[in-house]
Amino acid sequence: MIPVIIHDKCQCDPKKCTAKRMLKFGLGKEAKTLSSIPAGSIVLSPFSETALSPADIVHAKKGLVVMDLTWTNIEDFPRVRGAKERALPYLLASNPVNWGRPMELNSAEAVLAALMILGEREQADLFMGRFNWAPEFIRLNGSLLEDYSKAKDSAEVIQLQNDYLGEILKKD
């Protein structure tokens, strides 16, 4: 099991907060301070130029960190000294707030996607019964997640993403 670490900035509606739900259902542990995040762990960051890939499993075993803050406050994204920042590749949100929007995942979608990319399917399956949008997330992104999970490194994940986006643009 990959230790999922949640740093909650408490910026969203507590009744809809997926970070709080992950904590409630034991799908992650809270990091109240940035200094409590283990060195060498993976921080999911929209600002990283390196895509998450299966090659990151070594670092993810130290911790997979999600920063829970609203997209409107994304410029306040915290930095963690000693962590490896990784961005998720192209995926569509399936949550009710951002349904169908590319790259605007909530915290639980981000963790679910990361676990799938890292090949931790059993752990990812734990999200299915806890979030009613999870089956839709897999329906929208399943084939992409499968492809990403077979990539050897970040460069290959980026290539898969670019190939996919190229195919979409051809159809338009």
Side-chain angles (χ1 to χ4, degrees):
M1 289 275 265
I2 300 293
V4 174
I5 301 163
I6 301 160
H7 183 71
D8 188 357
K9 300 287 279 180
C10 299
Q11 296 177 347
C12 56
D13 179 348
K15 292 179 182 175
K16 297 177 183 176
C17 181
T18 62
K20 289 188 184 354
R21 288 190 69 196
M22 284 190 289
L23 292 169
K24 176 183 175 184
F25 295 126
L27 298 172
K29 297 206 184 289
E30 186 172 17
K32 293 187 187 272
T33 64
L34 295 177
S35 62
S36 66
I37 295 170
S41 58
I42 298 286
V43 174
L44 297 176
S45 169
F47 299 111
S48 178
E49 293 187 19
T50 305
L52 182 72
S53 78
D56 290 311
I57 191 73
V58 173
H59 299 292
K61 290 197 181 280
K62 295 177 182 175
L64 176 65
V65 182
V66 65
M67 301 290 182
D68 188 71
L69 65 158
T70 64
W71 281 102
T72 55
N73 295 327
I74 201 68
E75 69 279 352
D76 296 332
F77 192 87
R79 298 291 197 237
V80 179
R81 196 178 329 191
K84 311 279 185 205
E85 288 191 358
R86 297 292 186 265
L88 289 171
Y90 181 88
L91 296 164
L92 295 173
S94 67
N95 67 76
V97 175
N98 292 324
W99 191 93
R101 290 186 189 160
M103 308 306 295
E104 290 195 24
L105 310 182
N106 64 33
S107 294
E109 286 172 317
V111 171
L112 172 57
L115 291 170
M116 295 288 289
I117 291 168
L118 293 167
E120 297 293 323
R121 296 194 194 292
E122 284 183 34
Q123 189 174 356
D125 284 346
L126 298 174
F127 284 71
M128 292 304 172
R130 299 299 185 185
F131 296 95
N132 60 0
W133 47 256
E136 176 72 356
F137 184 77
I138 298 302
R139 188 189 71 76
L140 288 173
N141 300 295
S143 62
L144 267 177
L145 288 166
E146 183 69 27
D147 290 346
Y148 295 150
S149 73
K150 293 177 182 173
K152 69 177 189 285
D153 57 21
S154 177
E156 197 171 311
V157 168
I158 296 296
Q159 186 61 53
L160 288 164
Q161 169 187 270
N162 292 343
D163 291 348
Y164 177 78
L165 292 172
E167 287 298 315
I168 289 174
L169 293 174
K170 280 184 195 175
K171 292 177 184 178
D172 288 344

